[in-house]
Amino acid sequence: MAAEIILQVTNLVKDFSGIRAVNNVSFTLSTGTITAVIGPNGAGKTTLYQLISGQILPTSGSVKLKGKEITGLAPHKIVKAGIGRSFQITSVFPGLTARQNVRAALISRIGAQFDWWHCVESDRPLNIAVDKILALVGIQHLASTAVQILSHGDRALVEIAIVLACKPRLILLDEPTAGMSREETGNMVQLIRHLQQKTGCTFLITEHDMEVVFNLAENIIVMCQGKILAMGRSDEIRTNPDVRHAYLGTIST
């Protein structure tokens, strides 16, 4: 039985003042998989993410989620359609606690309106849902801690919890281990695997740490100068001579 396709990118192009940052890129993602996009700086990885998440509009081409066209939709509509994204620079409310950050995202998803007479602190169903998300990410012990005093690694975990509160089917992670210690990096790899198994979400990640990529990703897309240089399973990419020459260099096999 063929795997269900969750994301279909077809002939995607993005030009900036005569520079083609993404050049006729096409690929599909199967539901429940982890795929990495790698490539040297300037390869077009970030632009590709921005196109998929609606941060910028393509010059041409198409992006479909579960067979439905999302090309050109506003970012908040793409989130509601089922795509969540975390950024290399964490995007949180630093003055709020971890619980308050996740609760705000959850309220936004369910469309609750602000009510002067309603105290969210005493909304038991809402707070149970928040605590479940915190527990899923393993940060329930940080629930009452202001994000601004957390370590970089813990802030990244709060942002992933915020993404999960939006109930995505596809999660884009931009350099999820950037700036982390080896221990934090290992914990992030384990968390992504855990979330894949527990939620069934599909993951598309960019990552410069090749050890993380080859340990985590089932499939890899290699970009170079805006184009896809190669696609395949991690073992195929590791031994691909074109990829080794253009990007991986002397990485051991």
Side-chain angles (χ1 to χ4, degrees), residues 180-224:
M180 292 186 179
S181 67
R182 296 314 301 172
E183 181 180 1
E184 289 174 328
T185 295
N187 291 339
M188 178 61 75
V189 169
Q190 291 180 14
L191 174 63
I192 294 171
R193 287 201 188 106
H194 172 72
L195 294 177
Q196 177 200 29
Q197 294 167 1
K198 290 294 184 179
T199 69
C201 284
T202 305
F203 287 84
L204 181 64
I205 67 172
T206 62
E207 180 59 61
H208 277 100
D209 188 326
M210 289 299 99
E211 184 177 347
V212 170
V213 169
F214 286 110
N215 283 339
L216 184 61
E218 302 160 61
N219 301 292
I220 299 174
I221 299 169
V222 185
M223 293 188 67
C224 187

Side-chain angles (χ1 to χ4, degrees), residues 139-173:
I139 55 172
Q140 58 269 52
H141 62 292
L142 302 175
S144 300
T145 305
V147 172
Q148 61 191 356
I149 67 173
L150 295 177
S151 68
H152 170 72
D154 285 339
R155 286 193 188 198
L157 297 180
V158 172
E159 185 174 11
I160 288 179
I162 291 171
V163 171
L164 290 172
C166 296
K167 207 172 182 179
R169 290 179 286 182
L170 168 64
I171 298 177
L172 311 182
L173 299 179

Side-chain angles (χ1 to χ4, degrees), residues 48-64:
L48 176 64
Y49 267 39
Q50 291 173 328
L51 292 168
I52 294 172
S53 59
Q55 302 294 319
I56 58 176
L57 296 176
T59 302
S60 61
S62 169
V63 179
K64 292 182 179 179

